[in-house]
Each structure stands twice: as structure tokens, then as C-alpha cells.
Amino acid sequence: MTKSNVLLIGTGGVGTIVAYGIDYVGKANLSVVVRRDYSKVIESGWDLNSCDYGEIKGWKPQNIYPNVEAAKQDGSSNIYDYVIVTTKNLPDITKIEELIEPVVTPKKTTIVLIQNGFDIGRPFIKKYPQNVVISGVSHIGSHNHHGVITQTQNDKTLISYFENPNLSKEHQEAVTKDFISIYKNDKNTCTYFPDAKWYRYRKLVYNASLNTVAALTGVDTGRLELSGGLEAISIPAMKEVISIAKADGVELPGDVINLVVHSDDGDWFEPSMRVDVKKGNPIELEVILGNLLVVADELKVSAPTLKILYELLKVVQFKLKEGQGLISLPAKRPINDKVYS
């Protein structure tokens, strides 16, 4: 059996479990790019405490690289069949479609995006018009602490493809199912879901309304409800997401708002964007709200609540970037001579 050459970029809690799952199946020559913990991992591997796979000490894939350039391989026999991206999705900081260019072979390499966000396949299809781009929506609880992976929720991943008008649907579906065959095993749940757009709109009903408002206000979803913010801000935002989806040809279930509102019942749950703000980490603003508003503008759908949330969170993102040293400001504030009226 000829094994597929696979490169995975992003070895956080989710990415490392994805990588281990692929290695567990045994149908791939697996390489990974490790940004943090490279020295530790290259020496002693990862330790996994996994609800799916049990306790594993010192696991290593075939190849471990510190960056994408190091992972670039010459020779037709070493072309990557799949490049899997499991990094945090921050295109306002790093454009992943450019980052992976050295390891993508036109017409050959399948790009797999197991990442948050909406319409995230668009820049990849634009840059790589003859390559299949796969969507992976992961439901998993897993984190990485200095090379120790703790997985507390089972790996459940829905796999589909971002529709590329340059390629036949039959080809894209076949390639997507081939990827599932190297990832799906008896420990995880990896399912083909034919409509990536529908499912990502469905996730946006939560992420664009509850995740964003929690990040902006600094409260969990329970306090957001009790304070009145749920009905005043989040539910109007949900309705705007549904309107954009409908204009885009996607009909979401009639009870989707009720399902989303009650999805955190019983928990003082802090969504991921709220956690990122609390930790001082940049948020996935562009792929959750920015891309959605681009589509809303293209379809001429009014979304005033989502727009104000986006503009306010851009200010929060500015502060987070400054805190991370990604933005440098002069000691003295520059004078703006613009006239406002």
C-alpha cells in the first residue's frame, strides 16, 4: 500500500490529536510543523492523556519541523498529498494561504482546514484554483501544555469540501472521502458532511452572537442572559446571521435560535473568544465576523448589529495585538488633522 504524504501545521490540543489519529490509522507518512515546544518535542515527543486513545508517552510522528520552510521537500516522490492546517485562524496577523505556499503543489496537494470560521476556504481557492480545499469542523476538548496533551472530550469531526468552481463536485467529494480514510479510526468519529457552508452558517448563529458579545462584555453566556444582553444584542445578531444565510441560499432550521440560546443551559460558560480576551490573546474576529460581513455586503443584506459588534471588537483586537507586541505605538500620540463633522 502506498502511503499518503501528510504535513500537519499547528500542534495545539486539537492539532496533536488529529495528528495522532492519522498516525494511529497508519496510512500516511506523517510530518508536523511545531512552532512552540519544538525543542521539547524533538527530544522527547508528546505525552497524551486522551479520552480517545488512553495514555501515551513520548509519541513522535515520522518528521518534526520547526517551520514550514524546513518542511519543504524537493523531489516528486516527496510532494505532500495533504497539508492540514489546525492553527488558530488569524488572517489579520498571518495569512495561512501564503504561509503554506512552499509546501503546496498545484493540482496535487489537498489543503485541509480544521479551523474555526466562516468562508475560510475563499482565499485558498483563489490562490490555489486547481487544488481541493477541505473543511473540517472539529468538536473536541483538548489542550496542549508544554508538550503534554490533555483530551477530555471525544474527537468528533465533520468533513466536507469548500466548493471550488474550477473542479468537479465528483472529484472534490472523492478527494474528501479519501482524506477521511486516512483519519477515521475506531477511536474517533470522522463523518462526511456534504454541505460545509450550511454547517458553518449554523455555527455562526452561536459564534457571531454569543461568542462575540461575551468577548466584548467580559461575561459568560449565563450572565449575558440574566443581564438582558442576550435578548437586546445577541438574538438580534442571530437573526441577522439567519438573514444573510437565507440570501446566500442556506435555509437554517426554524428553531435554530432557541437551540443556540439553550445550548449552554446549566453552565456559566465562557466562549472561546471571551477566554482569549481574558488571556490577552488575539481573537478570531475576521473569520467569525469579518468574512460574514463581506458576504452580507455582497448580498446587500443589512446587518447593523453585527456591524457594530465587529467595529467594537476591532478596537479590542487592536489592544490585544498591542499587548502581544504585534503593534508598536510611539511614545507621543500623533496629531490627527482630519476634520470631523
Side-chain angles (χ1 to χ4, degrees):
M1 178 185 71
T2 301
K3 291 187 175 183
S4 300
N5 290 323
V6 175
L7 177 67
L8 182 139
I9 302 168
T11 50
V14 174
T16 306
I17 293 297
V18 172
Y20 186 82
I22 291 171
D23 199 42
Y24 178 88
V25 173
K27 294 181 180 179
N29 300 310
L30 178 64
S31 303
V32 300
V33 172
V34 181
R35 185 169 56 89
R36 291 182 295 179
D37 306 319
Y38 174 77
S39 298
K40 188 268 181 191
V41 170
I42 199 73
E43 180 180 341
S44 55
W46 282 278
D47 293 337
L48 280 69
N49 300 306
S50 167
C51 60
D52 284 340
Y53 301 102
E55 187 172 330
I56 296 100
K57 296 291 186 182
W59 172 72
K60 293 182 182 181
Q62 287 92 327
N63 300 297
I64 302 171
Y65 300 108
N67 52 54
V68 172
E69 283 295 337
K72 181 179 180 180
Q73 300 183 40
D74 295 324
S76 60
S77 63
N78 290 324
I79 290 173
Y80 290 111
D81 299 294
Y82 300 95
V83 170
I84 306 170
V85 181
T86 55
T87 60
K88 197 171 178 182
N89 206 342
L90 301 167
D92 50 328
I93 296 173
T94 301
K95 294 191 180 302
I96 300 296
E97 68 273 19
E98 296 176 3
L99 176 72
I100 67 173
E101 186 172 6
V103 291
V104 173
T105 301
K107 300 183 180 181
K108 171 65 176 176
T109 304
T110 297
I111 301 162
V112 184
L113 305 178
I114 303 180
Q115 295 181 294
N116 285 334
F118 171 74
D119 204 24
I120 62 174
R122 184 188 295 210
F124 293 86
I125 291 171
K126 181 179 180 181
K127 187 170 181 64
Y128 308 105
Q130 297 301 318
N131 294 63
V132 176
V133 182
I134 291 176
S135 163
V137 178
S138 177
H139 299 269
I140 186 175
S142 182
H143 64 269
N144 179 356
H145 183 69
H146 301 308
V148 177
I149 307 298
T150 303
Q151 181 195 359
T152 57
Q153 294 177 332
N154 301 104
D155 180 6
K156 299 177 181 177
T157 306
L158 296 177
I159 303 292
S160 49
Y161 60 87
F162 294 104
E163 191 166 333
N164 184 340
N166 306 298
L167 303 172
S168 73
K169 291 184 178 181
E170 293 77 13
H171 174 65
Q172 293 175 88
E173 181 175 332
V175 170
T176 302
K177 289 181 176 179
D178 283 344
F179 172 71
I180 291 173
S181 73
I182 70 167
Y183 178 24
K184 183 177 182 178
N185 59 54
D186 62 330
K187 304 292 186 182
N188 63 22
T189 303
C190 181
T191 307
Y192 179 69
F193 189 88
D195 194 341
K197 183 192 286 187
W198 184 96
Y199 198 79
R200 287 183 181 266
Y201 264 120
R202 171 62 177 80
K203 284 199 74 175
L204 273 181
V205 178
Y206 184 101
N207 281 333
S209 62
L210 292 173
N211 210 343
T212 54
V213 178
L216 192 58
T217 59
V219 301
D220 56 64
T221 54
R223 288 174 173 83
L224 181 62
E225 178 186 9
L226 294 175
S227 67
L230 171 69
E231 292 191 38
I233 307 169
S234 293
I235 288 179
M238 293 179 196
K239 291 178 179 178
E240 291 175 9
V241 173
I242 293 167
S243 295
I244 298 166
K246 187 171 184 178
D248 201 14
V250 173
E251 196 74 39
L252 294 171
D255 61 349
V256 66
I257 290 177
N258 189 58
L259 290 172
V260 166
V261 166
H262 289 292
S263 63
D264 295 333
D265 278 1
D267 292 327
W268 302 107
F269 182 72
E270 291 189 320
S272 59
M273 290 176 78
R274 163 62 189 142
V275 174
D276 281 333
V277 172
K278 190 159 67 171
K279 290 181 177 179
N281 295 329
I283 55 177
E284 295 180 310
L285 175 60
E286 294 303 324
V287 297
I288 289 176
L289 275 183
N291 289 356
L292 178 63
L293 288 169
V294 168
V295 172
D297 287 344
E298 290 173 349
L299 299 173
K300 296 180 171 52
V301 178
S302 177
T305 307
L306 294 171
K307 179 68 173 174
I308 193 65
L309 288 174
Y310 175 67
E311 295 299 337
L312 288 170
L313 283 168
K314 279 174 67 177
V315 179
V316 174
Q317 184 80 320
F318 185 93
K319 179 182 177 182
L320 293 168
K321 288 180 180 178
E322 184 183 2
Q324 292 277 324
L326 299 170
I327 294 174
S328 298
L329 299 179
K332 185 177 180 180
R333 177 182 169 181
I335 301 299
N336 181 1
D337 58 2
K338 182 177 179 179
V339 177
Y340 298 92
S341 60

